[in-house]
Amino acid sequence: MHMLMTRAFLYTVPFTLAITLISGCGGQSLLNSDPDQPGATASIVDPEPEISRVPGADFTKFNAVFVEFPSIAPDATQGDDVDAGQLADLQAKLQSDLESAFFKRYARASAAGPNVLVVRAKIVRAVPNKPFKNISPIGRATGAGRGYAAIEATLSNGADGAVLLRFRDTDATSRFGLDKFSTWGAVEKAFEEWAGAIMKALNPA
């Protein structure tokens, strides 16, 4: 009897654990709730952006915008093997997306100065997708192959450097989206969405 109970336990526990992991990740849960922790993995759901706007900030007084070349955190890829050229391309992509959003409203400025809005962004996380894991059943269930990105950005008065708005957000690969099938699909999609969200934050509804 004791041997039969032991065998049943050995078979039941792994099965129960597997079901718990799969069902938990299939719902609205996080594989890691803090993407800024070393070794963090992609989250299944994304938190709302953190936006802090200085009371009374008036963005209508600016007639031009200067988008600085974004910086990137040294540990942004969380240990993934990414070369310097790829990182530079990501920085250029984010700058281009921000410019595309802000140039719809402001003229281009080559430097900070009076009547110039300065946009500074930092890529905090840029973890690439692993497409082969996203295709496998286990990868689809656990999100093991999904990349994610995190950003910090500020909008400042080009005349005195005063920060008028701060923006921070994390965005993970879509579970059912096409962005998970390319290495940088999720990260680049996040850049485009953030550019629009930061621009929209100038005039909150």
Side-chain angles (χ1 to χ4, degrees):
M1 177 66 73
H2 177 71
M3 184 176 294
L4 290 175
M5 290 179 64
T6 302
R7 288 180 178 176
F9 177 82
L10 291 175
Y11 283 112
T12 302
V13 170
F15 179 78
T16 303
L17 179 59
I19 293 299
T20 300
L21 288 173
I22 292 175
S23 62
C25 293
Q28 298 295 302
S29 61
L30 296 180
L31 296 180
N32 189 305
S33 60
D34 185 357
D36 292 341
Q37 289 296 320
T41 53
S43 58
I44 301 301
V45 295
D46 305 318
E48 289 297 316
E50 297 177 18
I51 302 174
S52 175
R53 178 181 171 130
V54 172
D58 181 11
F59 294 99
T60 62
K61 66 181 181 181
F62 301 104
N63 53 36
V65 65
F66 173 55
V67 180
E68 291 188 358
F69 191 71
S71 61
I72 187 165
D75 58 347
T77 63
Q78 293 290 272
D80 281 303
D81 186 16
V82 179
D83 62 47
Q86 287 179 299
L87 296 180
D89 288 344
L90 290 176
Q91 290 169 275
K93 174 70 167 66
L94 177 56
Q95 182 183 40
S96 176
D97 289 337
L98 288 168
E99 288 179 339
S100 294
F102 279 84
F103 289 168
K104 293 177 181 178
R105 175 170 174 176
Y106 300 104
R108 180 193 294 269
S110 58
N115 301 316
V116 174
L117 181 65
V118 178
V119 180
R120 294 186 178 92
K122 178 180 181 179
I123 301 172
V124 179
R125 292 286 180 267
V127 178
N129 285 317
K130 297 174 179 61
F132 288 113
K133 288 187 177 181
N134 284 329
I135 294 173
S136 70
I138 294 178
R140 290 200 304 269
T142 64
R146 297 178 214 164
Y148 70 105
I151 189 178
E152 292 176 350
T154 61
L155 304 183
S156 304
N157 187 329
D160 57 14
V163 175
L164 304 175
L165 186 145
R166 297 181 186 276
F167 181 97
R168 177 183 169 89
D169 197 17
T170 300
D171 202 351
T173 306
S174 301
R175 184 180 182 188
F176 301 106
L178 297 177
D179 54 308
K180 68 181 180 180
F181 294 118
S182 64
T183 301
W184 296 111
V187 174
E188 293 180 346
K189 178 182 177 183
F191 288 172
E192 295 173 6
E193 292 178 350
W194 287 333
I198 296 171
M199 182 64 190
K200 184 178 180 180
L202 301 186
N203 297 303

Coordinates of all heavy atoms in Angstrom, one line a residue, residues 51-54 57-59 62 64-68 98 101-102 105-106 116-122 151-168 194-204:
I51 N 2.3 58.1 -16.1 CA 2.5 59.5 -16.7 C 2.4 60.5 -15.6 O 1.4 60.5 -14.8 CB 1.4 59.7 -17.8 CG1 1.5 58.7 -18.9 CG2 1.6 61.1 -18.3 CD1 0.4 58.8 -19.9
S52 N 3.4 61.3 -15.5 CA 3.4 62.4 -14.5 C 3.6 63.7 -15.2 O 4.6 63.9 -15.8 CB 4.6 62.1 -13.5 OG 4.7 63.2 -12.6
R53 N 2.6 64.5 -15.1 CA 2.6 65.8 -15.8 C 2.6 67.0 -14.8 O 1.8 67.0 -13.8 CB 1.3 65.9 -16.7 CG 1.2 67.2 -17.4 CD -0.1 67.1 -18.3 NE -0.4 68.4 -18.8 CZ -0.8 68.6 -20.1 NH1 -0.8 67.5 -20.9 NH2 -1.1 69.8 -20.6
V54 N 3.5 67.9 -15.0 CA 3.6 69.1 -14.1 C 2.3 69.9 -14.2 O 1.8 70.2 -15.3 CB 4.8 70.0 -14.5 CG1 4.7 71.3 -13.7 CG2 6.1 69.3 -14.3
A57 N 1.3 72.7 -17.0 CA 2.3 72.6 -18.1 C 1.5 73.0 -19.4 O 0.5 72.4 -19.7 CB 2.9 71.2 -18.2
D58 N 2.1 73.9 -20.1 CA 1.5 74.4 -21.4 C 2.4 74.0 -22.6 O 3.4 74.6 -22.8 CB 1.3 75.9 -21.3 CG 0.7 76.5 -22.5 OD1 0.2 75.7 -23.4 OD2 0.7 77.7 -22.7
F59 N 1.9 73.1 -23.4 CA 2.7 72.6 -24.5 C 2.4 73.4 -25.8 O 3.0 73.2 -26.8 CB 2.5 71.1 -24.7 CG 3.0 70.3 -23.6 CD1 2.2 69.8 -22.6 CD2 4.4 70.0 -23.5 CE1 2.7 69.0 -21.5 CE2 4.9 69.2 -22.5 CZ 4.0 68.7 -21.5
F62 N 5.2 75.9 -27.4 CA 6.4 75.5 -28.1 C 6.0 75.4 -29.6 O 4.9 75.0 -30.0 CB 6.8 74.1 -27.6 CG 7.2 74.0 -26.2 CD1 6.3 73.5 -25.2 CD2 8.4 74.6 -25.8 CE1 6.6 73.5 -23.9 CE2 8.7 74.5 -24.4 CZ 7.9 74.0 -23.5
A64 N 8.5 74.2 -31.9 CA 9.4 73.2 -32.5 C 9.8 72.1 -31.4 O 9.6 72.3 -30.2 CB 10.7 73.9 -33.0
V65 N 10.3 71.0 -31.9 CA 10.6 69.9 -31.0 C 12.0 69.4 -31.4 O 12.4 69.3 -32.6 CB 9.6 68.8 -31.0 CG1 9.5 68.1 -32.4 CG2 9.9 67.7 -30.0
F66 N 12.8 69.0 -30.4 CA 14.1 68.4 -30.6 C 14.0 67.0 -29.9 O 13.9 66.9 -28.7 CB 15.2 69.2 -30.0 CG 16.6 68.5 -30.0 CD1 17.1 68.0 -31.2 CD2 17.3 68.4 -28.9 CE1 18.3 67.4 -31.3 CE2 18.5 67.8 -28.9 CZ 19.1 67.3 -30.1
V67 N 14.1 65.9 -30.7 CA 14.1 64.6 -30.2 C 15.6 64.1 -30.1 O 16.2 63.8 -31.2 CB 13.3 63.6 -31.1 CG1 13.3 62.2 -30.5 CG2 11.8 64.2 -31.2
E68 N 16.1 64.0 -28.9 CA 17.4 63.5 -28.8 C 17.5 62.0 -29.2 O 16.5 61.3 -29.1 CB 17.9 63.6 -27.3 CG 18.1 65.1 -26.8 CD 18.7 65.1 -25.5 OE1 18.9 64.1 -24.8 OE2 19.0 66.3 -25.0
L98 N 9.4 58.6 -32.6 CA 9.1 59.8 -31.8 C 9.0 61.0 -32.7 O 8.1 61.8 -32.6 CB 10.1 60.0 -30.7 CG 10.1 59.0 -29.5 CD1 11.3 59.1 -28.7 CD2 8.8 59.2 -28.7
A101 N 5.8 61.1 -34.7 CA 4.6 61.5 -33.9 C 4.6 63.0 -33.6 O 3.6 63.7 -33.8 CB 4.6 60.7 -32.6
F102 N 5.8 63.5 -33.2 CA 5.8 64.9 -32.8 C 5.9 65.9 -33.9 O 5.5 67.1 -33.8 CB 7.0 65.2 -31.8 CG 6.7 64.7 -30.4 CD1 6.8 63.4 -30.0 CD2 6.3 65.7 -29.5 CE1 6.6 63.0 -28.7 CE2 6.0 65.3 -28.2 CZ 6.1 63.9 -27.8
R105 N 2.9 67.9 -35.2 CA 2.4 69.1 -34.5 C 3.5 70.2 -34.4 O 3.1 71.4 -34.5 CB 2.0 68.7 -33.1 CG 1.6 69.9 -32.2 CD 1.0 69.4 -30.9 NE 0.7 70.4 -29.9 CZ 0.1 70.3 -28.8 NH1 -0.3 69.1 -28.4 NH2 -0.1 71.3 -28.0
Y106 N 4.7 69.8 -34.3 CA 5.8 70.8 -34.2 C 6.8 70.7 -35.3 O 7.0 69.7 -36.0 CB 6.6 70.5 -32.9 CG 5.8 70.5 -31.6 CD1 5.4 69.4 -31.0 CD2 5.4 71.8 -31.0 CE1 4.6 69.4 -29.8 CE2 4.6 71.8 -29.9 CZ 4.3 70.6 -29.3 OH 3.5 70.7 -28.1
V116 N 11.3 75.5 -27.7 CA 11.6 74.2 -28.2 C 11.3 73.2 -27.1 O 11.8 73.3 -26.0 CB 13.1 74.0 -28.7 CG1 13.4 72.6 -29.1 CG2 13.4 75.0 -29.8
L117 N 10.5 72.2 -27.5 CA 10.2 71.1 -26.6 C 11.2 70.0 -26.8 O 11.5 69.6 -28.0 CB 8.8 70.5 -26.9 CG 8.3 69.4 -26.1 CD1 8.1 69.8 -24.6 CD2 7.0 68.9 -26.6
V118 N 11.9 69.5 -25.8 CA 12.9 68.5 -25.9 C 12.4 67.2 -25.4 O 11.8 67.0 -24.3 CB 14.1 68.9 -25.0 CG1 15.2 67.8 -25.1 CG2 14.7 70.2 -25.5
V119 N 12.5 66.2 -26.3 CA 12.1 64.8 -26.0 C 13.3 63.9 -25.7 O 14.1 63.8 -26.6 CB 11.2 64.2 -27.1 CG1 10.8 62.8 -26.8 CG2 10.1 65.1 -27.4
R120 N 13.4 63.4 -24.5 CA 14.5 62.5 -24.2 C 13.9 61.1 -23.8 O 12.9 61.0 -23.0 CB 15.3 63.0 -23.0 CG 16.1 64.2 -23.3 CD 17.0 64.6 -22.1 NE 17.7 65.8 -22.4 CZ 17.4 67.1 -22.1 NH1 16.2 67.2 -21.5 NH2 18.1 68.1 -22.4
A121 N 14.4 60.0 -24.4 CA 13.9 58.7 -24.1 C 15.1 57.8 -23.7 O 16.2 57.9 -24.3 CB 13.1 58.2 -25.3
K122 N 14.8 56.8 -22.9 CA 15.8 55.8 -22.5 C 15.1 54.4 -22.7 O 14.0 54.2 -22.2 CB 16.2 55.9 -21.1 CG 17.2 54.9 -20.6 CD 17.7 55.1 -19.2 CE 18.7 54.1 -18.7 NZ 19.1 54.3 -17.3
I151 N 10.4 51.5 -21.3 CA 10.9 52.8 -21.6 C 10.7 53.8 -20.5 O 9.8 53.7 -19.7 CB 10.1 53.4 -22.9 CG1 10.8 54.6 -23.5 CG2 8.7 53.6 -22.6 CD1 10.1 55.2 -24.7
E152 N 11.6 54.8 -20.5 CA 11.4 56.0 -19.7 C 11.6 57.2 -20.6 O 12.6 57.2 -21.4 CB 12.5 56.0 -18.5 CG 12.3 55.0 -17.5 CD 13.4 55.0 -16.5 OE1 14.4 55.7 -16.7 OE2 13.3 54.3 -15.5
A153 N 10.8 58.2 -20.5 CA 10.9 59.4 -21.4 C 10.5 60.6 -20.6 O 9.7 60.6 -19.7 CB 10.0 59.2 -22.6
T154 N 11.1 61.8 -21.0 CA 10.7 63.0 -20.4 C 10.5 64.1 -21.5 O 11.2 64.0 -22.6 CB 11.8 63.6 -19.5 OG1 13.0 63.8 -20.2 CG2 12.0 62.6 -18.3
L155 N 9.6 65.0 -21.3 CA 9.5 66.2 -22.1 C 9.9 67.4 -21.3 O 9.4 67.6 -20.2 CB 8.0 66.3 -22.6 CG 7.4 65.1 -23.3 CD1 5.9 65.4 -23.7 CD2 8.2 64.7 -24.5
S156 N 10.8 68.2 -21.9 CA 11.4 69.3 -21.2 C 11.3 70.6 -21.9 O 11.2 70.6 -23.2 CB 12.9 69.0 -20.8 OG 13.0 67.8 -20.1
N157 N 11.3 71.7 -21.2 CA 11.4 73.0 -21.8 C 12.8 73.2 -22.3 O 13.8 73.2 -21.5 CB 11.0 74.1 -20.7 CG 10.9 75.4 -21.3 OD1 11.6 75.8 -22.3 ND2 10.0 76.2 -20.7
G158 N 13.0 73.5 -23.6 CA 14.3 73.6 -24.1 C 15.0 74.9 -23.7 O 16.2 75.0 -23.8
A159 N 14.3 75.8 -23.1 CA 14.9 77.1 -22.7 C 15.6 77.0 -21.3 O 16.7 77.5 -21.1 CB 13.8 78.2 -22.6
D160 N 15.0 76.2 -20.4 CA 15.6 76.1 -19.1 C 15.8 74.7 -18.6 O 16.3 74.5 -17.5 CB 14.8 76.9 -18.0 CG 13.3 76.4 -18.0 OD1 13.0 75.3 -18.5 OD2 12.5 77.1 -17.4
G161 N 15.4 73.7 -19.4 CA 15.6 72.3 -19.0 C 14.6 71.7 -18.0 O 14.7 70.6 -17.6
A162 N 13.6 72.5 -17.7 CA 12.6 72.1 -16.7 C 11.8 70.9 -17.3 O 11.3 71.0 -18.4 CB 11.6 73.2 -16.3
V163 N 11.6 69.8 -16.5 CA 10.9 68.7 -17.0 C 9.4 68.9 -16.8 O 8.9 69.3 -15.7 CB 11.3 67.4 -16.2 CG1 10.4 66.2 -16.6 CG2 12.8 67.1 -16.5
L164 N 8.6 68.8 -17.9 CA 7.2 69.0 -17.8 C 6.3 67.8 -17.8 O 5.2 67.8 -17.3 CB 6.8 69.8 -19.1 CG 7.5 71.2 -19.3 CD1 7.1 71.8 -20.6 CD2 7.3 72.1 -18.1
L165 N 6.9 66.7 -18.3 CA 6.1 65.4 -18.3 C 7.1 64.2 -18.3 O 8.2 64.3 -18.9 CB 5.3 65.4 -19.5 CG 4.3 64.2 -19.7 CD1 3.0 64.6 -20.4 CD2 4.9 63.0 -20.5
R166 N 6.7 63.2 -17.5 CA 7.5 62.0 -17.4 C 6.6 60.8 -17.8 O 5.4 60.8 -17.5 CB 8.0 61.7 -16.0 CG 9.0 62.8 -15.5 CD 9.5 62.5 -14.1 NE 10.3 63.5 -13.6 CZ 11.6 63.7 -13.8 NH1 12.3 62.8 -14.6 NH2 12.3 64.7 -13.3
F167 N 7.2 59.9 -18.6 CA 6.4 58.8 -19.1 C 7.3 57.5 -18.9 O 8.5 57.5 -19.1 CB 6.2 59.0 -20.6 CG 5.4 57.9 -21.3 CD1 4.0 58.0 -21.5 CD2 6.0 56.7 -21.7 CE1 3.3 57.0 -22.1 CE2 5.3 55.7 -22.4 CZ 3.9 55.8 -22.5
R168 N 6.6 56.5 -18.4 CA 7.2 55.2 -18.2 C 6.3 54.1 -18.5 O 5.1 54.1 -18.1 CB 7.7 55.1 -16.7 CG 8.3 53.8 -16.3 CD 8.7 53.8 -14.8 NE 9.0 52.5 -14.3 CZ 10.3 52.0 -14.3 NH1 11.3 52.7 -14.8 NH2 10.5 50.8 -13.9
W194 N 4.3 53.7 -28.1 CA 4.7 54.7 -27.1 C 4.8 56.1 -27.7 O 4.5 57.1 -27.0 CB 6.0 54.3 -26.5 CG 5.9 53.1 -25.6 CD1 4.9 52.8 -24.8 CD2 6.9 52.2 -25.3 NE1 5.1 51.6 -24.1 CE2 6.4 51.3 -24.3 CE3 8.3 52.0 -25.7 CZ2 7.2 50.2 -23.8 CZ3 9.0 50.9 -25.2 CH2 8.4 50.0 -24.3
A195 N 5.3 56.2 -28.9 CA 5.4 57.5 -29.5 C 4.1 58.2 -29.6 O 3.9 59.4 -29.3 CB 6.0 57.4 -30.9
G196 N 3.1 57.5 -30.0 CA 1.7 58.0 -30.0 C 1.2 58.3 -28.7 O 0.5 59.4 -28.5
A197 N 1.5 57.5 -27.7 CA 0.9 57.7 -26.3 C 1.6 58.9 -25.7 O 0.9 59.7 -25.0 CB 1.2 56.4 -25.5
I198 N 2.9 59.1 -25.9 CA 3.5 60.3 -25.3 C 3.0 61.5 -25.9 O 2.7 62.5 -25.3 CB 5.1 60.2 -25.5 CG1 5.6 59.0 -24.7 CG2 5.8 61.4 -25.0 CD1 7.1 58.7 -25.0
M199 N 2.8 61.5 -27.2 CA 2.3 62.7 -27.9 C 0.8 63.0 -27.4 O 0.5 64.1 -27.2 CB 2.2 62.4 -29.4 CG 1.7 63.6 -30.3 SD 2.8 65.0 -30.1 CE 1.8 66.2 -31.0
K200 N 0.1 61.9 -27.2 CA -1.3 62.1 -26.8 C -1.4 62.6 -25.3 O -2.3 63.4 -25.0 CB -2.1 60.8 -26.8 CG -3.5 60.8 -26.4 CD -4.2 59.4 -26.5 CE -5.6 59.5 -26.2 NZ -6.3 58.2 -26.3
A201 N -0.3 62.3 -24.6 CA -0.3 62.8 -23.2 C -0.1 64.3 -23.0 O -0.4 64.9 -22.0 CB 0.9 62.1 -22.4
L202 N 0.2 65.0 -24.1 CA 0.3 66.4 -24.1 C -1.1 67.1 -23.9 O -1.2 68.1 -23.2 CB 0.9 67.0 -25.4 CG 2.3 66.5 -25.8 CD1 2.7 67.2 -27.1 CD2 3.3 66.7 -24.7
N203 N -2.1 66.4 -24.4 CA -3.4 66.9 -24.2 C -4.3 65.8 -23.8 O -5.1 65.2 -24.5 CB -4.0 67.4 -25.6 CG -3.2 68.6 -26.1 OD1 -3.1 69.6 -25.4 ND2 -2.6 68.5 -27.3
P204 N -4.2 65.4 -22.5 CA -5.1 64.3 -22.0 C -6.5 64.6 -22.1 O -7.0 65.8 -21.9 CB -4.6 64.2 -20.5 CG -4.1 65.5 -20.2 CD -3.4 66.1 -21.4

